[in-house]
Amino acid sequence: MEITKDMLVGEVIRNKPEAVDTLLSFGLGCIGCPASQMESLEEAAMVHGIDLPKLLKALNS
């Protein structure tokens, strides 16, 4: 399954639990926060100042 910018953070975690370590390593510490169920990876990256292409590459590797 390819992870895309439009996927919700919570959806990524549910479908690929090992992604938690990658998300945390990029500074996305809100993985347990209620917003993760409504926020896309693109939105989370923008809010947290994360380079989205690098994050997606890491999540899909």
Side-chain angles (χ1 to χ4, degrees), residues 1-20 22-23 36-37 39-41 55-56 59:
M1 167 181 131
E2 181 181 3
I3 296 174
T4 67
K5 67 179 184 174
D6 300 316
M7 294 178 77
L8 301 178
V9 174
E11 178 184 7
V12 171
I13 295 168
R14 278 191 303 280
N15 290 309
K16 190 174 179 180
E18 63 274 19
V20 169
T22 302
L23 294 169
S36 72
Q37 302 305 311
E39 191 171 55
S40 71
L41 283 173
L55 175 60
L56 290 172
L59 288 169

mmCIF file with all atom_site columns, all heavy atoms in Angstrom, residues 1-20 22-23 36-37 39-41 55-56 59:
data_model
loop_
_atom_site.group_PDB
_atom_site.id
_atom_site.type_symbol
_atom_site.label_atom_id
_atom_site.label_alt_id
_atom_site.label_comp_id
_atom_site.label_asym_id
_atom_site.label_entity_id
_atom_site.label_seq_id
_atom_site.pdbx_PDB_ins_code
_atom_site.Cartn_x
_atom_site.Cartn_y
_atom_site.Cartn_z
_atom_site.occupancy
_atom_site.B_iso_or_equiv
_atom_site.pdbx_formal_charge
_atom_site.auth_seq_id
_atom_site.auth_comp_id
_atom_site.auth_asym_id
_atom_site.auth_atom_id
_atom_site.pdbx_PDB_model_num
ATOM 1   N N   . MET A 1 1  ? 0.842  -1.180 0.000  1.00 0.00 ? 1  MET A N   1
ATOM 2   C CA  . MET A 1 1  ? 0.000  0.000  0.000  1.00 0.00 ? 1  MET A CA  1
ATOM 3   C C   . MET A 1 1  ? 0.889  1.246  0.000  1.00 0.00 ? 1  MET A C   1
ATOM 4   O O   . MET A 1 1  ? 1.759  1.388  0.857  1.00 0.00 ? 1  MET A O   1
ATOM 5   C CB  . MET A 1 1  ? -0.877 -0.035 1.244  1.00 0.00 ? 1  MET A CB  1
ATOM 6   C CG  . MET A 1 1  ? -1.578 1.245  1.537  1.00 0.00 ? 1  MET A CG  1
ATOM 7   S SD  . MET A 1 1  ? -2.556 1.071  3.033  1.00 0.00 ? 1  MET A SD  1
ATOM 8   C CE  . MET A 1 1  ? -2.012 2.517  3.874  1.00 0.00 ? 1  MET A CE  1
ATOM 9   N N   . GLU A 1 2  ? 0.657  2.108  -0.950 1.00 0.00 ? 2  GLU A N   1
ATOM 10  C CA  . GLU A 1 2  ? 1.431  3.346  -1.009 1.00 0.00 ? 2  GLU A CA  1
ATOM 11  C C   . GLU A 1 2  ? 0.791  4.405  -0.118 1.00 0.00 ? 2  GLU A C   1
ATOM 12  O O   . GLU A 1 2  ? -0.426 4.603  -0.146 1.00 0.00 ? 2  GLU A O   1
ATOM 13  C CB  . GLU A 1 2  ? 1.514  3.874  -2.439 1.00 0.00 ? 2  GLU A CB  1
ATOM 14  C CG  . GLU A 1 2  ? 2.341  5.139  -2.530 1.00 0.00 ? 2  GLU A CG  1
ATOM 15  C CD  . GLU A 1 2  ? 2.432  5.702  -3.938 1.00 0.00 ? 2  GLU A CD  1
ATOM 16  O OE1 . GLU A 1 2  ? 1.806  5.146  -4.841 1.00 0.00 ? 2  GLU A OE1 1
ATOM 17  O OE2 . GLU A 1 2  ? 3.130  6.692  -4.092 1.00 0.00 ? 2  GLU A OE2 1
ATOM 18  N N   . ILE A 1 3  ? 1.614  5.064  0.658  1.00 0.00 ? 3  ILE A N   1
ATOM 19  C CA  . ILE A 1 3  ? 1.142  6.146  1.521  1.00 0.00 ? 3  ILE A CA  1
ATOM 20  C C   . ILE A 1 3  ? 1.214  7.431  0.722  1.00 0.00 ? 3  ILE A C   1
ATOM 21  O O   . ILE A 1 3  ? 2.233  7.740  0.099  1.00 0.00 ? 3  ILE A O   1
ATOM 22  C CB  . ILE A 1 3  ? 1.998  6.220  2.799  1.00 0.00 ? 3  ILE A CB  1
ATOM 23  C CG1 . ILE A 1 3  ? 1.806  4.924  3.598  1.00 0.00 ? 3  ILE A CG1 1
ATOM 24  C CG2 . ILE A 1 3  ? 1.625  7.444  3.627  1.00 0.00 ? 3  ILE A CG2 1
ATOM 25  C CD1 . ILE A 1 3  ? 2.696  4.799  4.802  1.00 0.00 ? 3  ILE A CD1 1
ATOM 26  N N   . THR A 1 4  ? 0.102  8.183  0.739  1.00 0.00 ? 4  THR A N   1
ATOM 27  C CA  . THR A 1 4  ? 0.022  9.427  -0.018 1.00 0.00 ? 4  THR A CA  1
ATOM 28  C C   . THR A 1 4  ? -0.234 10.607 0.909  1.00 0.00 ? 4  THR A C   1
ATOM 29  O O   . THR A 1 4  ? -0.637 10.431 2.060  1.00 0.00 ? 4  THR A O   1
ATOM 30  C CB  . THR A 1 4  ? -1.115 9.367  -1.059 1.00 0.00 ? 4  THR A CB  1
ATOM 31  O OG1 . THR A 1 4  ? -2.375 9.307  -0.358 1.00 0.00 ? 4  THR A OG1 1
ATOM 32  C CG2 . THR A 1 4  ? -0.977 8.163  -1.971 1.00 0.00 ? 4  THR A CG2 1
ATOM 33  N N   . LYS A 1 5  ? -0.033 11.798 0.384  1.00 0.00 ? 5  LYS A N   1
ATOM 34  C CA  . LYS A 1 5  ? -0.198 13.025 1.165  1.00 0.00 ? 5  LYS A CA  1
ATOM 35  C C   . LYS A 1 5  ? -1.625 13.235 1.640  1.00 0.00 ? 5  LYS A C   1
ATOM 36  O O   . LYS A 1 5  ? -1.867 13.929 2.623  1.00 0.00 ? 5  LYS A O   1
ATOM 37  C CB  . LYS A 1 5  ? 0.260  14.235 0.356  1.00 0.00 ? 5  LYS A CB  1
ATOM 38  C CG  . LYS A 1 5  ? -0.615 14.527 -0.839 1.00 0.00 ? 5  LYS A CG  1
ATOM 39  C CD  . LYS A 1 5  ? -0.141 15.740 -1.596 1.00 0.00 ? 5  LYS A CD  1
ATOM 40  C CE  . LYS A 1 5  ? -1.098 16.057 -2.733 1.00 0.00 ? 5  LYS A CE  1
ATOM 41  N NZ  . LYS A 1 5  ? -0.745 17.283 -3.398 1.00 0.00 ? 5  LYS A NZ  1
ATOM 42  N N   . ASP A 1 6  ? -2.588 12.630 0.963  1.00 0.00 ? 6  ASP A N   1
ATOM 43  C CA  . ASP A 1 6  ? -3.996 12.819 1.302  1.00 0.00 ? 6  ASP A CA  1
ATOM 44  C C   . ASP A 1 6  ? -4.495 11.879 2.395  1.00 0.00 ? 6  ASP A C   1
ATOM 45  O O   . ASP A 1 6  ? -5.606 12.049 2.889  1.00 0.00 ? 6  ASP A O   1
ATOM 46  C CB  . ASP A 1 6  ? -4.858 12.645 0.053  1.00 0.00 ? 6  ASP A CB  1
ATOM 47  C CG  . ASP A 1 6  ? -4.498 13.648 -1.024 1.00 0.00 ? 6  ASP A CG  1
ATOM 48  O OD1 . ASP A 1 6  ? -4.314 14.839 -0.687 1.00 0.00 ? 6  ASP A OD1 1
ATOM 49  O OD2 . ASP A 1 6  ? -4.387 13.250 -2.194 1.00 0.00 ? 6  ASP A OD2 1
ATOM 50  N N   . MET A 1 7  ? -3.683 10.909 2.756  1.00 0.00 ? 7  MET A N   1
ATOM 51  C CA  . MET A 1 7  ? -4.097 9.963  3.795  1.00 0.00 ? 7  MET A CA  1
ATOM 52  C C   . MET A 1 7  ? -4.072 10.638 5.163  1.00 0.00 ? 7  MET A C   1
ATOM 53  O O   . MET A 1 7  ? -3.217 11.477 5.441  1.00 0.00 ? 7  MET A O   1
ATOM 54  C CB  . MET A 1 7  ? -3.177 8.744  3.797  1.00 0.00 ? 7  MET A CB  1
ATOM 55  C CG  . MET A 1 7  ? -3.291 7.919  2.536  1.00 0.00 ? 7  MET A CG  1
ATOM 56  S SD  . MET A 1 7  ? -2.158 6.523  2.516  1.00 0.00 ? 7  MET A SD  1
ATOM 57  C CE  . MET A 1 7  ? -3.022 5.418  3.621  1.00 0.00 ? 7  MET A CE  1
ATOM 58  N N   . LEU A 1 8  ? -5.018 10.261 5.998  1.00 0.00 ? 8  LEU A N   1
ATOM 59  C CA  . LEU A 1 8  ? -5.055 10.784 7.357  1.00 0.00 ? 8  LEU A CA  1
ATOM 60  C C   . LEU A 1 8  ? -3.945 10.142 8.176  1.00 0.00 ? 8  LEU A C   1
ATOM 61  O O   . LEU A 1 8  ? -3.602 8.974  7.966  1.00 0.00 ? 8  LEU A O   1
ATOM 62  C CB  . LEU A 1 8  ? -6.406 10.492 8.005  1.00 0.00 ? 8  LEU A CB  1
ATOM 63  C CG  . LEU A 1 8  ? -7.639 11.066 7.303  1.00 0.00 ? 8  LEU A CG  1
ATOM 64  C CD1 . LEU A 1 8  ? -8.899 10.648 8.041  1.00 0.00 ? 8  LEU A CD1 1
ATOM 65  C CD2 . LEU A 1 8  ? -7.548 12.571 7.182  1.00 0.00 ? 8  LEU A CD2 1
ATOM 66  N N   . VAL A 1 9  ? -3.408 10.893 9.108  1.00 0.00 ? 9  VAL A N   1
ATOM 67  C CA  . VAL A 1 9  ? -2.327 10.376 9.955  1.00 0.00 ? 9  VAL A CA  1
ATOM 68  C C   . VAL A 1 9  ? -2.794 9.108  10.658 1.00 0.00 ? 9  VAL A C   1
ATOM 69  O O   . VAL A 1 9  ? -2.089 8.092  10.672 1.00 0.00 ? 9  VAL A O   1
ATOM 70  C CB  . VAL A 1 9  ? -1.858 11.437 10.980 1.00 0.00 ? 9  VAL A CB  1
ATOM 71  C CG1 . VAL A 1 9  ? -0.840 10.857 11.938 1.00 0.00 ? 9  VAL A CG1 1
ATOM 72  C CG2 . VAL A 1 9  ? -1.301 12.667 10.269 1.00 0.00 ? 9  VAL A CG2 1
ATOM 73  N N   . GLY A 1 10 ? -3.991 9.134  11.207 1.00 0.00 ? 10 GLY A N   1
ATOM 74  C CA  . GLY A 1 10 ? -4.529 7.963  11.896 1.00 0.00 ? 10 GLY A CA  1
ATOM 75  C C   . GLY A 1 10 ? -4.686 6.766  10.975 1.00 0.00 ? 10 GLY A C   1
ATOM 76  O O   . GLY A 1 10 ? -4.462 5.624  11.377 1.00 0.00 ? 10 GLY A O   1
ATOM 77  N N   . GLU A 1 11 ? -5.066 7.013  9.730  1.00 0.00 ? 11 GLU A N   1
ATOM 78  C CA  . GLU A 1 11 ? -5.208 5.949  8.740  1.00 0.00 ? 11 GLU A CA  1
ATOM 79  C C   . GLU A 1 11 ? -3.864 5.288  8.448  1.00 0.00 ? 11 GLU A C   1
ATOM 80  O O   . GLU A 1 11 ? -3.766 4.063  8.348  1.00 0.00 ? 11 GLU A O   1
ATOM 81  C CB  . GLU A 1 11 ? -5.793 6.558  7.461  1.00 0.00 ? 11 GLU A CB  1
ATOM 82  C CG  . GLU A 1 11 ? -5.972 5.630  6.309  1.00 0.00 ? 11 GLU A CG  1
ATOM 83  C CD  . GLU A 1 11 ? -6.466 6.343  5.065  1.00 0.00 ? 11 GLU A CD  1
ATOM 84  O OE1 . GLU A 1 11 ? -6.544 7.592  5.041  1.00 0.00 ? 11 GLU A OE1 1
ATOM 85  O OE2 . GLU A 1 11 ? -6.746 5.627  4.097  1.00 0.00 ? 11 GLU A OE2 1
ATOM 86  N N   . VAL A 1 12 ? -2.823 6.107  8.335  1.00 0.00 ? 12 VAL A N   1
ATOM 87  C CA  . VAL A 1 12 ? -1.478 5.581  8.091  1.00 0.00 ? 12 VAL A CA  1
ATOM 88  C C   . VAL A 1 12 ? -1.067 4.679  9.256  1.00 0.00 ? 12 VAL A C   1
ATOM 89  O O   . VAL A 1 12 ? -0.573 3.569  9.051  1.00 0.00 ? 12 VAL A O   1
ATOM 90  C CB  . VAL A 1 12 ? -0.456 6.720  7.899  1.00 0.00 ? 12 VAL A CB  1
ATOM 91  C CG1 . VAL A 1 12 ? 0.959  6.182  7.856  1.00 0.00 ? 12 VAL A CG1 1
ATOM 92  C CG2 . VAL A 1 12 ? -0.766 7.514  6.639  1.00 0.00 ? 12 VAL A CG2 1
ATOM 93  N N   . ILE A 1 13 ? -1.305 5.137  10.468 1.00 0.00 ? 13 ILE A N   1
ATOM 94  C CA  . ILE A 1 13 ? -0.919 4.373  11.665 1.00 0.00 ? 13 ILE A CA  1
ATOM 95  C C   . ILE A 1 13 ? -1.700 3.062  11.754 1.00 0.00 ? 13 ILE A C   1
ATOM 96  O O   . ILE A 1 13 ? -1.130 2.025  12.086 1.00 0.00 ? 13 ILE A O   1
ATOM 97  C CB  . ILE A 1 13 ? -1.112 5.225  12.933 1.00 0.00 ? 13 ILE A CB  1
ATOM 98  C CG1 . ILE A 1 13 ? -0.154 6.414  12.892 1.00 0.00 ? 13 ILE A CG1 1
ATOM 99  C CG2 . ILE A 1 13 ? -0.912 4.390  14.190 1.00 0.00 ? 13 ILE A CG2 1
ATOM 100 C CD1 . ILE A 1 13 ? -0.445 7.483  13.923 1.00 0.00 ? 13 ILE A CD1 1
ATOM 101 N N   . ARG A 1 14 ? -2.978 3.103  11.434 1.00 0.00 ? 14 ARG A N   1
ATOM 102 C CA  . ARG A 1 14 ? -3.788 1.880  11.482 1.00 0.00 ? 14 ARG A CA  1
ATOM 103 C C   . ARG A 1 14 ? -3.333 0.861  10.442 1.00 0.00 ? 14 ARG A C   1
ATOM 104 O O   . ARG A 1 14 ? -3.289 -0.334 10.707 1.00 0.00 ? 14 ARG A O   1
ATOM 105 C CB  . ARG A 1 14 ? -5.271 2.207  11.251 1.00 0.00 ? 14 ARG A CB  1
ATOM 106 C CG  . ARG A 1 14 ? -5.994 2.702  12.475 1.00 0.00 ? 14 ARG A CG  1
ATOM 107 C CD  . ARG A 1 14 ? -7.495 2.761  12.261 1.00 0.00 ? 14 ARG A CD  1
ATOM 108 N NE  . ARG A 1 14 ? -7.895 3.584  11.122 1.00 0.00 ? 14 ARG A NE  1
ATOM 109 C CZ  . ARG A 1 14 ? -7.987 4.910  11.126 1.00 0.00 ? 14 ARG A CZ  1
ATOM 110 N NH1 . ARG A 1 14 ? -7.675 5.573  12.226 1.00 0.00 ? 14 ARG A NH1 1
ATOM 111 N NH2 . ARG A 1 14 ? -8.379 5.577  10.064 1.00 0.00 ? 14 ARG A NH2 1
ATOM 112 N N   . ASN A 1 15 ? -2.999 1.342  9.248  1.00 0.00 ? 15 ASN A N   1
ATOM 113 C CA  . ASN A 1 15 ? -2.640 0.436  8.159  1.00 0.00 ? 15 ASN A CA  1
ATOM 114 C C   . ASN A 1 15 ? -1.173 0.027  8.154  1.00 0.00 ? 15 ASN A C   1
ATOM 115 O O   . ASN A 1 15 ? -0.820 -0.993 7.564  1.00 0.00 ? 15 ASN A O   1
ATOM 116 C CB  . ASN A 1 15 ? -2.995 1.067  6.807  1.00 0.00 ? 15 ASN A CB  1
ATOM 117 C CG  . ASN A 1 15 ? -4.487 1.143  6.596  1.00 0.00 ? 15 ASN A CG  1
ATOM 118 O OD1 . ASN A 1 15 ? -5.184 0.161  6.745  1.00 0.00 ? 15 ASN A OD1 1
ATOM 119 N ND2 . ASN A 1 15 ? -4.978 2.315  6.273  1.00 0.00 ? 15 ASN A ND2 1
ATOM 120 N N   . LYS A 1 16 ? -0.337 0.840  8.777  1.00 0.00 ? 16 LYS A N   1
ATOM 121 C CA  . LYS A 1 16 ? 1.100  0.548  8.795  1.00 0.00 ? 16 LYS A CA  1
ATOM 122 C C   . LYS A 1 16 ? 1.664  0.990  10.151 1.00 0.00 ? 16 LYS A C   1
ATOM 123 O O   . LYS A 1 16 ? 2.294  2.029  10.262 1.00 0.00 ? 16 LYS A O   1
ATOM 124 C CB  . LYS A 1 16 ? 1.777  1.296  7.650  1.00 0.00 ? 16 LYS A CB  1
ATOM 125 C CG  . LYS A 1 16 ? 3.211  0.884  7.418  1.00 0.00 ? 16 LYS A CG  1
ATOM 126 C CD  . LYS A 1 16 ? 3.774  1.563  6.168  1.00 0.00 ? 16 LYS A CD  1
ATOM 127 C CE  . LYS A 1 16 ? 5.210  1.175  5.962  1.00 0.00 ? 16 LYS A CE  1
ATOM 128 N NZ  . LYS A 1 16 ? 5.789  1.804  4.780  1.00 0.00 ? 16 LYS A NZ  1
ATOM 129 N N   . PRO A 1 17 ? 1.406  0.205  11.208 1.00 0.00 ? 17 PRO A N   1
ATOM 130 C CA  . PRO A 1 17 ? 1.817  0.595  12.563 1.00 0.00 ? 17 PRO A CA  1
ATOM 131 C C   . PRO A 1 17 ? 3.304  0.915  12.693 1.00 0.00 ? 17 PRO A C   1
ATOM 132 O O   . PRO A 1 17 ? 3.688  1.747  13.515 1.00 0.00 ? 17 PRO A O   1
ATOM 133 C CB  . PRO A 1 17 ? 1.441  -0.609 13.422 1.00 0.00 ? 17 PRO A CB  1
ATOM 134 C CG  . PRO A 1 17 ? 0.428  -1.364 12.635 1.00 0.00 ? 17 PRO A CG  1
ATOM 135 C CD  . PRO A 1 17 ? 0.713  -1.080 11.190 1.00 0.00 ? 17 PRO A CD  1
ATOM 136 N N   . GLU A 1 18 ? 4.135  0.276  11.882 1.00 0.00 ? 18 GLU A N   1
ATOM 137 C CA  . GLU A 1 18 ? 5.574  0.549  11.943 1.00 0.00 ? 18 GLU A CA  1
ATOM 138 C C   . GLU A 1 18 ? 5.914  1.974  11.501 1.00 0.00 ? 18 GLU A C   1
ATOM 139 O O   . GLU A 1 18 ? 7.033  2.449  11.715 1.00 0.00 ? 18 GLU A O   1
ATOM 140 C CB  . GLU A 1 18 ? 6.361  -0.481 11.129 1.00 0.00 ? 18 GLU A CB  1
ATOM 141 C CG  . GLU A 1 18 ? 6.083  -0.489 9.647  1.00 0.00 ? 18 GLU A CG  1
ATOM 142 C CD  . GLU A 1 18 ? 4.901  -1.351 9.208  1.00 0.00 ? 18 GLU A CD  1
ATOM 143 O OE1 . GLU A 1 18 ? 4.032  -1.709 10.035 1.00 0.00 ? 18 GLU A OE1 1
ATOM 144 O OE2 . GLU A 1 18 ? 4.849  -1.671 8.016  1.00 0.00 ? 18 GLU A OE2 1
ATOM 145 N N   . ALA A 1 19 ? 4.955  2.687  10.907 1.00 0.00 ? 19 ALA A N   1
ATOM 146 C CA  . ALA A 1 19 ? 5.169  4.064  10.474 1.00 0.00 ? 19 ALA A CA  1
ATOM 147 C C   . ALA A 1 19 ? 5.309  5.030  11.650 1.00 0.00 ? 19 ALA A C   1
ATOM 148 O O   . ALA A 1 19 ? 5.816  6.143  11.488 1.00 0.00 ? 19 ALA A O   1
ATOM 149 C CB  . ALA A 1 19 ? 4.028  4.521  9.572  1.00 0.00 ? 19 ALA A CB  1
ATOM 150 N N   . VAL A 1 20 ? 4.875  4.602  12.829 1.00 0.00 ? 20 VAL A N   1
ATOM 151 C CA  . VAL A 1 20 ? 4.944  5.475  14.014 1.00 0.00 ? 20 VAL A CA  1
ATOM 152 C C   . VAL A 1 20 ? 6.373  5.951  14.247 1.00 0.00 ? 20 VAL A C   1
ATOM 153 O O   . VAL A 1 20 ? 6.605  7.141  14.492 1.00 0.00 ? 20 VAL A O   1
ATOM 154 C CB  . VAL A 1 20 ? 4.383  4.752  15.260 1.00 0.00 ? 20 VAL A CB  1
ATOM 155 C CG1 . VAL A 1 20 ? 4.700  5.535  16.523 1.00 0.00 ? 20 VAL A CG1 1
ATOM 156 C CG2 . VAL A 1 20 ? 2.895  4.550  15.115 1.00 0.00 ? 20 VAL A CG2 1
ATOM 157 N N   . THR A 1 22 ? 8.792  6.337  12.135 1.00 0.00 ? 22 THR A N   1
ATOM 158 C CA  . THR A 1 22 ? 9.159  7.307  11.091 1.00 0.00 ? 22 THR A CA  1
ATOM 159 C C   . THR A 1 22 ? 8.509  8.649  11.376 1.00 0.00 ? 22 THR A C   1
ATOM 160 O O   . THR A 1 22 ? 9.165  9.694  11.294 1.00 0.00 ? 22 THR A O   1
ATOM 161 C CB  . THR A 1 22 ? 8.741  6.795  9.698  1.00 0.00 ? 22 THR A CB  1
ATOM 162 O OG1 . THR A 1 22 ? 9.369  5.537  9.459  1.00 0.00 ? 22 THR A OG1 1
ATOM 163 C CG2 . THR A 1 22 ? 9.128  7.783  8.611  1.00 0.00 ? 22 THR A CG2 1
ATOM 164 N N   . LEU A 1 23 ? 7.227  8.644  11.708 1.00 0.00 ? 23 LEU A N   1
ATOM 165 C CA  . LEU A 1 23 ? 6.523  9.895  11.999 1.00 0.00 ? 23 LEU A CA  1
ATOM 166 C C   . LEU A 1 23 ? 7.188  10.615 13.170 1.00 0.00 ? 23 LEU A C   1
ATOM 167 O O   . LEU A 1 23 ? 7.408  11.831 13.119 1.00 0.00 ? 23 LEU A O   1
ATOM 168 C CB  . LEU A 1 23 ? 5.050  9.617  12.300 1.00 0.00 ? 23 LEU A CB  1
ATOM 169 C CG  . LEU A 1 23 ? 4.230  9.078  11.128 1.00 0.00 ? 23 LEU A CG  1
ATOM 170 C CD1 . LEU A 1 23 ? 2.866  8.594  11.607 1.00 0.00 ? 23 LEU A CD1 1
ATOM 171 C CD2 . LEU A 1 23 ? 4.073  10.130 10.043 1.00 0.00 ? 23 LEU A CD2 1
ATOM 172 N N   . SER A 1 36 ? -5.135 13.626 14.799 1.00 0.00 ? 36 SER A N   1
ATOM 173 C CA  . SER A 1 36 ? -4.539 12.686 13.851 1.00 0.00 ? 36 SER A CA  1
ATOM 174 C C   . SER A 1 36 ? -5.602 11.889 13.098 1.00 0.00 ? 36 SER A C   1
ATOM 175 O O   . SER A 1 36 ? -5.327 11.338 12.044 1.00 0.00 ? 36 SER A O   1
ATOM 176 C CB  . SER A 1 36 ? -3.574 11.738 14.558 1.00 0.00 ? 36 SER A CB  1
ATOM 177 O OG  . SER A 1 36 ? -4.267 10.813 15.360 1.00 0.00 ? 36 SER A OG  1
ATOM 178 N N   . GLN A 1 37 ? -6.805 11.851 13.645 1.00 0.00 ? 37 GLN A N   1
ATOM 179 C CA  . GLN A 1 37 ? -7.893 11.130 12.985 1.00 0.00 ? 37 GLN A CA  1
ATOM 180 C C   . GLN A 1 37 ? -8.572 11.978 11.910 1.00 0.00 ? 37 GLN A C   1
ATOM 181 O O   . GLN A 1 37 ? -9.364 11.459 11.127 1.00 0.00 ? 37 GLN A O   1
ATOM 182 C CB  . GLN A 1 37 ? -8.936 10.690 14.023 1.00 0.00 ? 37 GLN A CB  1
ATOM 183 C CG  . GLN A 1 37 ? -8.378 9.810  15.114 1.00 0.00 ? 37 GLN A CG  1
ATOM 184 C CD  . GLN A 1 37 ? -7.662 8.588  14.582 1.00 0.00 ? 37 GLN A CD  1
ATOM 185 O OE1 . GLN A 1 37 ? -8.176 7.863  13.742 1.00 0.00 ? 37 GLN A OE1 1
ATOM 186 N NE2 . GLN A 1 37 ? -6.450 8.352  15.063 1.00 0.00 ? 37 GLN A NE2 1
ATOM 187 N N   . GLU A 1 39 ? -6.621 14.780 10.322 1.00 0.00 ? 39 GLU A N   1
ATOM 188 C CA  . GLU A 1 39 ? -5.587 15.572 9.651  1.00 0.00 ? 39 GLU A CA  1
ATOM 189 C C   . GLU A 1 39 ? -4.816 14.706 8.649  1.00 0.00 ? 39 GLU A C   1
ATOM 190 O O   . GLU A 1 39 ? -4.355 13.627 8.984  1.00 0.00 ? 39 GLU A O   1
ATOM 191 C CB  . GLU A 1 39 ? -4.630 16.114 10.716 1.00 0.00 ? 39 GLU A CB  1
ATOM 192 C CG  . GLU A 1 39 ? -3.674 17.159 10.231 1.00 0.00 ? 39 GLU A CG  1
ATOM 193 C CD  . GLU A 1 39 ? -2.927 17.801 11.388 1.00 0.00 ? 39 GLU A CD  1
ATOM 194 O OE1 . GLU A 1 39 ? -2.301 17.077 12.192 1.00 0.00 ? 39 GLU A OE1 1
ATOM 195 O OE2 . GLU A 1 39 ? -2.980 19.027 11.484 1.00 0.00 ? 39 GLU A OE2 1
ATOM 196 N N   . SER A 1 40 ? -4.704 15.217 7.418  1.00 0.00 ? 40 SER A N   1
ATOM 197 C CA  . SER A 1 40 ? -3.942 14.486 6.412  1.00 0.00 ? 40 SER A CA  1
ATOM 198 C C   . SER A 1 40 ? -2.447 14.648 6.672  1.00 0.00 ? 40 SER A C   1
ATOM 199 O O   . SER A 1 40 ? -2.027 15.544 7.407  1.00 0.00 ? 40 SER A O   1
ATOM 200 C CB  . SER A 1 40 ? -4.276 15.014 5.011  1.00 0.00 ? 40 SER A CB  1
ATOM 201 O OG  . SER A 1 40 ? -3.730 16.311 4.837  1.00 0.00 ? 40 SER A OG  1
ATOM 202 N N   . LEU A 1 41 ? -1.669 13.787 6.044  1.00 0.00 ? 41 LEU A N   1
ATOM 203 C CA  . LEU A 1 41 ? -0.215 13.912 6.169  1.00 0.00 ? 41 LEU A CA  1
ATOM 204 C C   . LEU A 1 41 ? 0.238  15.271 5.642  1.00 0.00 ? 41 LEU A C   1
ATOM 205 O O   . LEU A 1 41 ? 1.129  15.893 6.215  1.00 0.00 ? 41 LEU A O   1
ATOM 206 C CB  . LEU A 1 41 ? 0.484  12.795 5.402  1.00 0.00 ? 41 LEU A CB  1
ATOM 207 C CG  . LEU A 1 41 ? 0.499  11.431 6.057  1.00 0.00 ? 41 LEU A CG  1
ATOM 208 C CD1 . LEU A 1 41 ? 1.080  10.398 5.112  1.00 0.00 ? 41 LEU A CD1 1
ATOM 209 C CD2 . LEU A 1 41 ? 1.270  11.454 7.356  1.00 0.00 ? 41 LEU A CD2 1
ATOM 210 N N   . LEU A 1 55 ? 9.172  13.053 3.942  1.00 0.00 ? 55 LEU A N   1
ATOM 211 C CA  . LEU A 1 55 ? 8.360  12.227 4.835  1.00 0.00 ? 55 LEU A CA  1
ATOM 212 C C   . LEU A 1 55 ? 7.719  11.088 4.055  1.00 0.00 ? 55 LEU A C   1
ATOM 213 O O   . LEU A 1 55 ? 7.777  9.928  4.476  1.00 0.00 ? 55 LEU A O   1
ATOM 214 C CB  . LEU A 1 55 ? 7.288  13.072 5.521  1.00 0.00 ? 55 LEU A CB  1
ATOM 215 C CG  . LEU A 1 55 ? 6.273  12.323 6.393  1.00 0.00 ? 55 LEU A CG  1
ATOM 216 C CD1 . LEU A 1 55 ? 6.968  11.588 7.532  1.00 0.00 ? 55 LEU A CD1 1
ATOM 217 C CD2 . LEU A 1 55 ? 5.207  13.274 6.911  1.00 0.00 ? 55 LEU A CD2 1
ATOM 218 N N   . LEU A 1 56 ? 7.114  11.387 2.920  1.00 0.00 ? 56 LEU A N   1
ATOM 219 C CA  . LEU A 1 56 ? 6.459  10.352 2.115  1.00 0.00 ? 56 LEU A CA  1
ATOM 220 C C   . LEU A 1 56 ? 7.462  9.310  1.637  1.00 0.00 ? 56 LEU A C   1
ATOM 221 O O   . LEU A 1 56 ? 7.171  8.109  1.648  1.00 0.00 ? 56 LEU A O   1
ATOM 222 C CB  . LEU A 1 56 ? 5.717  10.976 0.935  1.00 0.00 ? 56 LEU A CB  1
ATOM 223 C CG  . LEU A 1 56 ? 4.476  11.771 1.290  1.00 0.00 ? 56 LEU A CG  1
ATOM 224 C CD1 . LEU A 1 56 ? 3.933  12.498 0.074  1.00 0.00 ? 56 LEU A CD1 1
ATOM 225 C CD2 . LEU A 1 56 ? 3.402  10.882 1.912  1.00 0.00 ? 56 LEU A CD2 1
ATOM 226 N N   . LEU A 1 59 ? 8.231  7.082  4.586  1.00 0.00 ? 59 LEU A N   1
ATOM 227 C CA  . LEU A 1 59 ? 7.109  6.224  4.936  1.00 0.00 ? 59 LEU A CA  1
ATOM 228 C C   . LEU A 1 59 ? 6.907  5.098  3.933  1.00 0.00 ? 59 LEU A C   1
ATOM 229 O O   . LEU A 1 59 ? 6.435  4.022  4.285  1.00 0.00 ? 59 LEU A O   1
ATOM 230 C CB  . LEU A 1 59 ? 5.825  7.053  5.049  1.00 0.00 ? 59 LEU A CB  1
ATOM 231 C CG  . LEU A 1 59 ? 5.722  7.965  6.261  1.00 0.00 ? 59 LEU A CG  1
ATOM 232 C CD1 . LEU A 1 59 ? 4.539  8.918  6.108  1.00 0.00 ? 59 LEU A CD1 1
ATOM 233 C CD2 . LEU A 1 59 ? 5.609  7.165  7.546  1.00 0.00 ? 59 LEU A CD2 1
#
